[in-house]
Amino acid sequence: MDSWNPAGEGVLRLPSGRLVRGRGLRRPLPEGLTPTFAVHLLGASPPPVAWESRWLRWPDFLLPADRPAARAVLSETWRRAELDRVEVACAGGRGRTGTALACLAVLDGVPAAEAVAYVRGHYHPRAVETPWQRRYVMRFAEG
């Protein structure tokens, strides 16, 4: 399967080489390849898309409403990023998306204490917006 453009805007390359595009749903869909799988991190049900997707109820500036479901979906997302074009998206593309990307980095072997910095350095400098989102990443590593 074609992969995301590694130099593409908003595409995070995990240490394993997996590529995951982060995106803010308030912005238009980028030109080029569309995802084959997406995770939408929103407080309300997202609009339908033409590709397979999962919705995690995750209110803005907060944490996932169902943490075991979030772990399951993020684990699936990490596995699928090996072969699929995966997108993780919230409304703005920074807080919830950055938090989810940091959790994917933990699953990929980045130490939890370094995951937020990794995502800020490789995705967006303001990713993971709140102290509780940073704590969530640390606790995500604990299972």
Side-chain angles (χ1 to χ4, degrees), residues 50-64:
W51 46 87
E52 186 179 358
S53 66
R54 303 275 184 277
W55 169 43
L56 279 177
R57 194 162 61 85
W58 191 330
D60 201 8
F61 295 106
L62 298 176
L63 298 175

Side-chain angles (χ1 to χ4, degrees), residues 13 60 76 79 83-84 94 103-105 110 118 128 131:
R13 180 183 292 276
D60 201 8
E76 176 187 8
R79 284 190 306 275
L83 299 173
D84 292 330
R94 292 191 186 142
C103 291
L104 295 178
V110 175
Y118 182 87
V128 190

Side-chain angles (χ1 to χ4, degrees), residues 7-106:
E9 181 180 343
V11 176
L12 173 68
R13 180 183 292 276
L14 294 168
S16 65
R18 288 172 167 91
L19 301 173
V20 180
R21 182 170 75 190
R23 183 165 80 89
L25 294 169
R26 286 191 293 245
R27 291 188 288 282
L29 185 67
E31 291 185 23
L33 297 172
T34 58
T36 55
F37 178 75
V39 176
H40 297 130
L41 314 167
L42 299 169
S45 181
V49 292
W51 46 87
E52 186 179 358
S53 66
R54 303 275 184 277
W55 169 43
L56 279 177
R57 194 162 61 85
W58 191 330
D60 201 8
F61 295 106
L62 298 176
L63 298 175
D66 183 338
R67 293 187 190 170
R71 174 170 283 284
V73 169
L74 292 174
S75 294
E76 176 187 8
T77 302
W78 177 80
R79 284 190 306 275
R80 294 193 62 168
E82 187 171 17
L83 299 173
D84 292 330
R85 290 187 308 271
V86 173
E87 177 178 87
V88 175
C90 65
R94 292 191 186 142
R96 293 168 284 182
T97 295
T99 302
L101 292 174
C103 291
L104 295 178
V106 168

